[in-house]
Amino acid sequence: MPEVSIIIRTLNEEKHLGNLLRAISEQDYKNCEVIIVDSGSTDKTLEIAREFSAKIIEIESRDFTFGYALNI
């Protein structure tokens, strides 16, 4: 089980997500998991997340709040 979870809230973040996940994967510390909480992306956000083997949790955009996305 990973020691650290990195939670990233997303909605149509294809422009930035690849660079962020690449930077995380290049860190020396490896005992972590990346969890994407997505609220209805219609771009390539989820495709990019899958390329980096991130765990994906999808929520309805109507249910999104910053706190709920982190707590889910």
Side-chain angles (χ1 to χ4, degrees):
M1 175 172 247
E3 188 172 289
V4 174
S5 296
I6 301 169
I7 301 169
I8 303 169
R9 299 170 291 208
T10 60
L11 175 59
N12 295 329
E13 293 292 336
E14 75 174 296
K15 181 177 180 181
H16 303 287
L17 188 60
N19 288 333
L20 173 61
L21 294 176
R22 190 172 302 102
I24 291 169
S25 71
E26 292 173 355
Q27 296 295 310
D28 292 334
Y29 187 79
K30 300 294 182 189
N31 193 8
C32 64
E33 65 180 343
V34 175
I35 301 171
I36 301 292
V37 181
D38 186 78
S39 57
S41 289
T42 57
D43 62 0
K44 294 183 180 183
T45 295
L46 297 179
E47 180 180 324
I48 294 166
R50 286 184 192 101
E51 289 174 13
F52 286 89
S53 300
K55 179 179 178 182
I56 299 170
I57 298 172
E58 295 182 66
I59 62 174
E60 296 291 328
S61 59
R62 69 175 182 269
D63 294 333
F64 177 83
T65 66
F66 290 102
Y68 178 73
L70 289 176
N71 288 331
I72 194 79

